Amino acid sequence: MVFQLTQKLVFPNPYYGEPDGLLAVGGDLSVDRLILAYSNGIFPWYAFREKQIQWWCPLKRFVIFPNEIHISHSMRTLMNKGRYGVSFNQAFHEVIQTCGNLRMEEAGAWLGEDIMKAYTRLHEQGFAASVEVWEESCLVGGLYGVTLGKCFFGESMFSLVPNASKLALIYLAQTFQELGGTLIDCQFETPHLKSMGGRYIDYEEYMRYVQEPFESL
């Protein structure tokens, strides 16, 4: 079943959603609604050309545990060369803009102006973060996502040179683990993420990580 949201700040029970994870449509992209969504394992997909916000909550969650991140021999070699620099939260707007621009012509493109504004507001309030990969002063890769408690909810990533997004994800996992983070939500499986340690857990286990006390991080 797919629910129609109203202005009321509430989401339906994820167990009543469609088998593929589609749970609801409508609502808005306010900071309060987004935080409530992610706190329950729900994330938006805004098909902006159709002017419809979709809310998804798959009951099988594809995640990476930071301590399980797989670093291939070729990636270790790349990291040891020191060719690229990595930073955090130094170019959030540029990262999200590049992620959107690179996918703008794809069918089902979702990273339009409204989503960018919504996640920029989250970032300004400390609930979204970016990782940037630099070749000298040029931004060549990165990712961004939502941060709540001990979880990082990945949204999008990009590479303008080979392996830049992998490098961003590795540094995210390593740094997040050092800070006490326990889970990176990948939303959907891709070969790229599976090769780096992504695996499925069920919604009940997933929510135990999401609901760990924020103050302990």
Side-chain angles (χ1 to χ4, degrees):
M1 182 180 298
V2 178
F3 295 82
Q4 176 67 53
L5 299 184
T6 65
Q7 293 304 307
K8 188 176 181 180
L9 198 59
V10 65
F11 283 98
N13 187 323
Y15 288 99
Y16 296 151
E18 292 292 293
D20 61 0
L22 181 60
L23 177 63
V25 297
D28 55 56
L29 295 169
S30 66
V31 168
D32 287 345
R33 189 180 293 275
L34 287 169
I35 291 174
L36 177 63
Y38 283 99
S39 297
N40 289 279
I42 301 166
F43 56 88
W45 186 281
Y46 185 25
F48 59 87
R49 292 190 179 96
E50 288 77 38
K51 301 295 183 183
Q52 183 184 71
I53 305 173
Q54 301 174 358
W55 298 92
W56 292 75
C57 188
L59 297 181
K60 290 293 184 182
R61 307 307 295 240
F62 194 71
V63 304
I64 291 177
F65 291 98
N67 63 338
E68 295 180 0
I69 190 77
H70 175 68
I71 307 174
S72 67
H73 176 73
S74 61
M75 285 305 301
R76 289 188 186 279
T77 300
L78 179 65
M79 293 166 70
N80 290 335
K81 287 181 178 178
R83 177 177 177 180
Y84 301 112
V86 180
S87 62
F88 294 84
N89 293 321
Q90 297 302 303
F92 183 90
H93 179 75
E94 290 85 347
V95 169
I96 194 171
Q97 187 76 52
T98 305
C99 286
N101 290 345
L102 290 174
R103 296 168 175 82
M104 194 60 66
E105 302 306 319
E106 294 180 3
W110 59 276
L111 231 175
E113 183 178 352
D114 292 327
I115 282 282
M116 291 184 193
K117 288 180 178 178
Y119 284 85
T120 298
R121 288 193 295 268
L122 282 177
H123 175 65
E124 290 169 349
Q125 296 192 31
F127 295 109
S130 61
V131 183
E132 304 89 22
V133 179
W134 306 89
E135 187 170 16
E136 297 181 348
S137 62
C138 182
L139 183 67
V140 296
L143 60 82
Y144 79 94
V146 174
T147 58
L148 285 177
K150 295 184 176 184
C151 297
F152 182 92
F153 305 85
E155 281 296 317
S156 190
M157 57 174 56
F158 76 95
S159 290
L160 300 181
V161 296
N163 296 315
S165 63
K166 288 185 178 181
L167 191 61
L169 182 57
I170 289 168
Y171 275 89
L172 168 67
Q174 291 177 333
T175 303
F176 199 46
Q177 183 179 4
E178 290 172 3
L179 294 172
T182 57
L183 182 140
I184 299 171
D185 181 4
C186 302
Q187 296 186 349
F188 295 110
E189 177 185 348
T190 68
H192 174 86
L193 294 170
K194 188 174 182 179
S195 72
M196 299 190 70
R199 61 184 174 92
Y200 284 101
I201 61 174
D202 61 36
Y203 181 70
E204 293 85 354
E205 181 182 356
Y206 171 87
M207 286 304 298
R208 288 197 290 270
Y209 288 99
V210 173
Q211 293 174 346
E212 282 189 275
F214 291 2
E215 65 270 18
S216 63
L217 180 57

